[in-house]
Amino acid sequence: MRYLYYRVLHGDCYTANKNTCTEWTGRLRSVVSRKRKNMPFVDLQSNLPANSFPEEFLKKMCSFVASILGKPVDRMHLIVKPGLPMILAGSCSPCVVMSISAIGVTDTADKNKDHSAKLFEFLTRELTLTEDRIALQFYNLQPHQVGKKGTVMSFL
């Protein structure tokens, strides 16, 4: 069955009825593209102490990032690494470096500009940092780069 999905998704659908092939290709691409987009990873590194990131902050952050990326909260992966020795822009003052990796929602400058504006507003408000003490990185993942359930997202 997975082989058939792969063949259809990659334009190798062979059938006597071309309409059936086109219909199935559209349906499968739609289903797979929805599944592929549901695995964002957020990695926040900071020299702020661990008590700056209580459970309430983690839940709030996870919910906020999910909302701006258009993802369900139960698919989010958030890792916070506090208390790191860090220099940002030549200074050891409190700072945050955050990486957002996702399939299909961090793939253009326009999308990342919108995400960046919202994330900077959230982080400056919640962590009382100035914008010059925050750096963001966006990574567009491909489905074959995310493993889950003993396979990769390309086959789920």
Side-chain angles (χ1 to χ4, degrees):
M1 191 73 139
R2 286 184 181 161
Y3 176 74
L4 172 63
Y5 288 162
Y6 176 84
R7 301 292 295 193
V8 170
L9 287 171
H10 291 86
D12 296 336
C13 180
Y14 298 106
T15 180
N17 184 342
K18 295 285 185 194
N19 291 334
T20 302
C21 182
T22 303
E23 180 183 337
W24 273 102
T25 301
R27 284 184 187 174
L28 286 172
R29 283 194 175 134
S30 173
V31 168
V32 171
S33 96
R34 281 195 306 264
K35 286 184 178 182
R36 285 180 181 172
K37 295 179 182 180
N38 288 337
M39 298 285 296
F41 297 89
V42 178
D43 183 16
L44 188 149
Q45 300 177 52
S46 180
N47 56 3
L48 292 168
N51 64 5
S52 299
F53 305 99
E55 185 176 336
E56 180 183 317
F57 172 83
L58 299 178
K59 289 179 180 179
K60 195 177 204 180
M61 173 86 178
C62 193
S63 180
F64 181 78
V65 175
S67 71
I68 67 170
L69 297 179
K71 305 297 176 191
V73 174
D74 65 344
R75 296 293 183 139
M76 294 295 300
H77 303 286
L78 172 64
I79 298 171
V80 175
K81 299 172 189 167
L84 298 174
M86 294 176 67
I87 293 178
L88 181 65
S91 169
C92 292
S93 297
C95 63
V96 164
V97 174
M98 190 165 83
S99 301
I100 300 98
S101 306
I103 300 170
V105 294
T106 55
D107 56 343
T108 69
D110 288 335
K111 288 179 187 177
N112 292 340
K113 181 180 176 187
D114 291 341
H115 300 328
S116 185
K118 293 171 185 173
L119 288 165
F120 269 87
E121 191 276 324
F122 177 85
L123 292 169
T124 56
R125 181 183 69 241
E126 295 296 321
L127 298 175
T128 62
L129 295 173
T130 57
E131 287 188 352
D132 64 322
R133 303 307 303 152
I134 301 168
L136 303 178
Q137 299 171 307
F138 295 97
Y139 298 100
N140 183 44
L141 298 175
Q142 299 301 312
H144 68 273
Q145 295 173 306
V146 179
K148 186 174 180 180
K149 297 182 180 179
T151 186
V152 292
M153 294 302 289
S154 302
F155 297 102
L156 292 176

